[in-house]
Amino acid sequence: MSADAKAQEQPVKRVLQTVGFDARFPNQNQTKHCFQSYIDYHKCINAKGEDFAPCKQFSRAYKSLCPNDWISRFDEQREAGTFPASLEP
C-alpha cells in the first residue's frame, strides 16, 4: 500500500470548541448572546475590515450559537435594510 493510500485512510481530526463564557449572558438561554455576537461581528468588520483578527471571535460565536435559519434571516434583513439594530461602528 502506498503512502498516499494510507494518508487517505486516516480520518481527519478536527478540534471542536464551544463559545467561552460571557458574563453578559450568564443564563442557559443563549439567544441574546447569538444576536449580540452577530451585531458585534458586523460592527467590527464595518470598523476594522474583514481581515481584522479579533472580529473572527464574534464570527465564531454567532455561527456556533445561532441556528442557520436565523443567520440567513439576519443576512436577508441586513441586505434589505430592515435589520432591527444599527451595525454602524
Side-chain angles (χ1 to χ4, degrees):
M1 187 177 287
S2 70
D4 289 333
K6 286 183 182 179
Q8 290 176 355
E9 288 180 9
Q10 295 178 0
V12 176
K13 293 183 180 181
R14 295 185 182 169
V15 177
L16 298 177
Q17 290 181 311
T18 59
V19 177
F21 178 74
D22 187 333
R24 297 177 298 171
F25 309 101
N27 300 320
Q28 288 180 325
N29 185 342
Q30 293 294 301
T31 302
K32 290 180 184 177
H33 192 178
C34 152
F35 188 67
Q36 190 61 51
S37 294
Y38 185 88
I39 292 170
D40 290 343
Y41 171 71
H42 287 283
K43 282 185 174 187
C44 185
I45 64 170
N46 287 339
K48 301 290 185 175
E50 290 187 27
D51 296 331
F52 190 61
C55 295
K56 293 180 183 181
Q57 177 61 32
F58 296 124
S59 175
R60 284 190 296 270
Y62 88 77
K63 288 178 180 176
S64 175
L65 294 169
C66 299
N68 291 334
D69 290 343
W70 291 10
I71 295 171
S72 297
R73 189 173 333 132
F74 294 162
D75 290 342
E76 290 170 6
Q77 290 173 337
R78 214 171 23 87
E79 290 170 9
T82 59
F83 190 72
S86 171
L87 299 176
E88 295 301 316

